[in-house]
């Protein structure tokens, strides 16, 4: 048996119903067979000290299947004997059970013309990201029959957003199921109860090629940036989802319900559209003013969007939306996120370097602007941001905006590692799990011999060197 690095085991463990939720029996070490069809993990109970065993094997369609799982039962020697036998024995792939749909290969594009952004996964600098997308697809409990084809063609970002949500949920130890066609996910843990989550993306009025599109200049006027066309797009997207009446479905009635939304309105819009969503949800516009020689943030109440008076601001304020418990958001549902996570595992990078340039959140009272940073993703400095993982986590950019008027509120403990925006008597309180929360960023793929750029020199420029490759967030 071959030792398996802990971060690779973490990726494979996302296929487990509760992902990395091992409770009192966390993994100590993991191994794989020489053919990489079998993985065995040794667990240890943190109370009794007894060991357990987890054995997984690839199915004929590459989905992981649990062959043996028992905790708090064996001596270390007994457990290792079981793992060694499973990893060293000649292994055949597990047959797909009768009545179970065989997972279509994500790499098989025969019969279709892949989208430009799917083709980008074939670049050598994105090899790790392509591998990761496939692992997350294989970890999906019950994807739509057309999932692979949608991902290969025009609905790449919708499917990508679903995989990132799955990875985040299971990274946090949630039980994730897909027993119904909709909503997309049912999530549960002991501490926070359960909720239903429906995923959606903000799409452009007219499709564009994400692979070749150049980031459009962001609106220079802040009011337009926060209350303009992208805000209208958020509003219409969420309204369309609410009209589906998910909360009236028999299996959803009486349960917390959230819509998870990611922005693909225009090339580069996710760099600046986050504030637009917050303003629409809570019904206020935040601006900077000078008070006693200091620049502070002041909230201005709103009820309509200036560009479309028919769109009321403050989605959470409307009584008709009390069954909407929260909005889940990320501005990092991107191709670069797929690569950054495995690149941050470490190891040698051959000819290129991933550099993340952006802004950390500044939680100083009244602050509207972030703190610039520029870091090599494959560096100890970057990995140190993400304790206890030691690599970039899937949940790093996930934010949960809670509805203060929700009929069935979501317990923040359900998503223990997300950033939560919680209503209080004085307004909205922000609770973060990770010390360094990233408000916005871009990822530069550059030749490994080039120096890491400074944040000040690149972050706020409208254009970048044409020889370099930039991705949103």
């Amino acid at each position: 048996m071959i030792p398996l690095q802990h971060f690779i085991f973490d990726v494979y463990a996302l296929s487990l119903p509760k992902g990395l939720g091992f409770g009192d029996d966390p993994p100590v070490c993991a191994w794989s067979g020489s053919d990489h069809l079998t993985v065995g993990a040794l667990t240890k109970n943190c109370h009794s000290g007894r060991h357990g065993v987890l054995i997984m094997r690839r199915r004929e369609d590459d989905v992981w299947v649990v062959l043996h799982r028992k905790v708090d039962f064996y001596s270390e020697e007994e457990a290792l004997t079981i793992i060694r036998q499973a990893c060293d024995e000649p292994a055949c792939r597990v047959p797909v059970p009768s009545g179970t749909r065989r997972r279509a290969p994500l790499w098989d594009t025969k019969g279709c013309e892949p989208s430009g952004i799917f083709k980008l996964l074939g670049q050598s600098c994105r090899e790790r990201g392509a591998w990761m997308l496939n692992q997350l697809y294989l970890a999906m409990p019950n994807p739509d029959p057309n999932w692979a084809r949608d991902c290969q063609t025009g609905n790449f970002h919708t499917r990508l957003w679903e995989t990132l949500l799955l990875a985040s949920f299971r990274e946090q130890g949630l039980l994730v199921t897909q027993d119904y066609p909709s909503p997309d996910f049912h999530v549960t843990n002991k501490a926070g109860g359960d909720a239903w989550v429906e995923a959606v993306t903000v799409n452009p009025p007219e499709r564009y090629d994400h692979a070749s599109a150049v980031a459009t200049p962001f609106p220079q006027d802040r009011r337009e940036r926060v209350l303009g066309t992208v805000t209208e797009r958020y509003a219409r997207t969420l309204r369309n989802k609410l009209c589906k009446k998910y909360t009236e479905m028999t299996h959803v009635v009486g349960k917390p319900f959230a819509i998870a939304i990611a922005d693909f309105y225009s090339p580069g819009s996710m760099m600046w559209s986050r504030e637009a969503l917050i303003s629409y949800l809570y019904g206020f516009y935040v601006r900077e003013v000078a008070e006693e020689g200091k620049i502070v943030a002041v909230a201005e109440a709103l009820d309509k969007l200036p560009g479309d008076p028919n769109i009321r601001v403050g989605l959470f304020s409307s009584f008709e939306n009390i069954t909407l418990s929260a909005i889940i958001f990320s501005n990092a549902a991107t191709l670069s996120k797929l690569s950054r996570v495995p690149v941050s595992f470490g190891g040698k990078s051959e000819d290129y370097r991933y550099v993340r340039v952006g802004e950390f959140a500044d939680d100083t009272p009244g602050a509207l602007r972030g703190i610039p940073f520029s870091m090599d993703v494959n560096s100890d400095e970057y990995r140190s941001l993400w304790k206890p993982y030691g690599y970039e986590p899937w949940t790093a950019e996930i934010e949960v905006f809670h509805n203060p008027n929700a009929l069935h509120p979501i317990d923040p403990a359900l998503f223990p590692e997300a950033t939560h925006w919680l209503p209080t008597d004085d307004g909205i309180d922000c609770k973060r799990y990770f010390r360094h929360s990233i408000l916005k960023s871009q990822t530069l793929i550059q030749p490994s011999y080039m120096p890491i750029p400074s944040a000040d020199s690149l972050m706020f420029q409208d254009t970048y060197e044409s020889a370099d490759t930039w991705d949103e967030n």
Side-chain angles (χ1 to χ4, degrees), residues 356-384:
R356 194 174 188 186
V357 183
E359 290 183 353
F360 292 125
D362 184 350
D363 289 330
T364 303
L368 271 179
R369 303 181 185 186
I371 302 169
F373 72 89
S374 177
M375 293 186 185
D376 183 346
V377 172
N378 185 7
S379 69
D380 290 339
E381 178 190 25
Y382 189 74
R383 283 186 281 272
S384 69

Side-chain angles (χ1 to χ4, degrees), residues 213-460:
V214 177
T216 55
F218 63 84
Q220 294 297 309
D221 180 76
R222 188 168 187 280
R223 199 172 185 88
E224 166 61 22
R225 208 158 59 236
V226 177
L227 302 175
T229 53
V230 71
T231 322
E232 296 171 16
R233 202 70 182 175
Y234 272 124
R236 292 189 175 94
T237 301
L238 290 171
R239 290 291 181 185
N240 286 340
K241 276 296 178 182
L242 290 169
C243 286
K244 304 284 187 183
K245 299 187 182 299
Y246 294 105
T247 55
E248 295 181 12
M249 294 179 175
T250 303
H251 53 282
V252 183
V253 169
K255 298 288 187 179
F257 169 73
I259 296 176
I261 192 166
D263 168 38
F264 299 98
Y265 168 71
S266 68
S269 61
M270 66 179 64
M271 278 282 292
W272 50 267
S273 68
R274 174 179 171 275
E275 284 184 90
L277 175 63
I278 297 173
S279 293
Y280 173 64
L281 295 179
Y282 291 106
F284 59 74
Y285 169 70
V286 178
R287 55 191 176 90
E288 292 181 334
V289 298
E291 288 186 0
E292 299 179 356
K294 296 181 179 180
I295 301 296
V296 297
V298 174
E300 170 189 329
L302 300 169
D303 64 353
K304 297 177 182 178
L305 287 181
D308 189 342
N310 294 319
I311 298 179
R312 298 189 63 84
V313 181
L315 184 72
F316 288 156
S317 301
S318 174
F319 178 79
E320 66 183 10
N321 298 323
I322 60 174
T323 56
L324 175 62
S325 305
I327 295 293
I328 300 172
F329 172 76
S330 172
N331 59 5
T334 60
L335 204 63
S336 55
K337 177 73 176 181
L338 282 176
S339 294
R340 277 203 319 271
V341 172
V343 167
S344 71
F345 292 167
K348 185 179 180 181
S349 295
E350 297 298 333
D351 301 318
Y352 61 89
R353 173 191 287 124
Y354 272 71
V355 178
R356 194 174 188 186
V357 183
E359 290 183 353
F360 292 125
D362 184 350
D363 289 330
T364 303
L368 271 179
R369 303 181 185 186
I371 302 169
F373 72 89
S374 177
M375 293 186 185
D376 183 346
V377 172
N378 185 7
S379 69
D380 290 339
E381 178 190 25
Y382 189 74
R383 283 186 281 272
S384 69
L385 299 177
W386 312 118
K387 297 177 181 178
Y389 289 98
Y391 57 82
E392 182 180 330
W394 298 106
T395 313
E397 301 87 3
I398 296 290
E399 299 182 272
V400 183
F401 298 101
H402 292 259
N403 183 350
N405 300 305
L407 182 62
H408 306 290
I410 286 179
D411 188 334
L414 181 59
F415 305 111
E417 296 171 18
T419 294
H420 291 270
W421 295 85
L422 298 158
T424 67
D425 293 339
D426 299 322
I428 304 172
D429 191 18
C430 177
K431 299 291 186 183
R432 305 186 193 280
Y433 177 82
F434 296 105
R435 181 182 174 187
H436 294 91
S437 182
I438 294 177
L439 291 178
K440 59 183 178 181
S441 75
Q442 287 186 317
T443 302
L444 169 64
I445 308 172
Q446 67 176 34
S448 57
Y449 60 81
M450 291 182 63
I452 297 174
S454 69
D456 291 338
S457 67
L458 287 172
M459 185 60 201
F460 302 105

Side-chain angles (χ1 to χ4, degrees), residues 7 16 22 28 35 52 56 58 70-71 115 117 124 135 152 159 206 227 240 270 306 390 394 420 430 467:
F7 40 78
L16 298 172
F22 291 98
V28 178
D35 53 10
M56 299 192 298
R58 292 285 190 185
K70 200 162 191 176
V71 299
S115 64
I117 195 164
S124 60
Q135 299 309 308
Q152 295 163 348
R159 297 313 191 186
E206 296 182 9
L227 302 175
N240 286 340
M270 66 179 64
W394 298 106
H420 291 270
C430 177

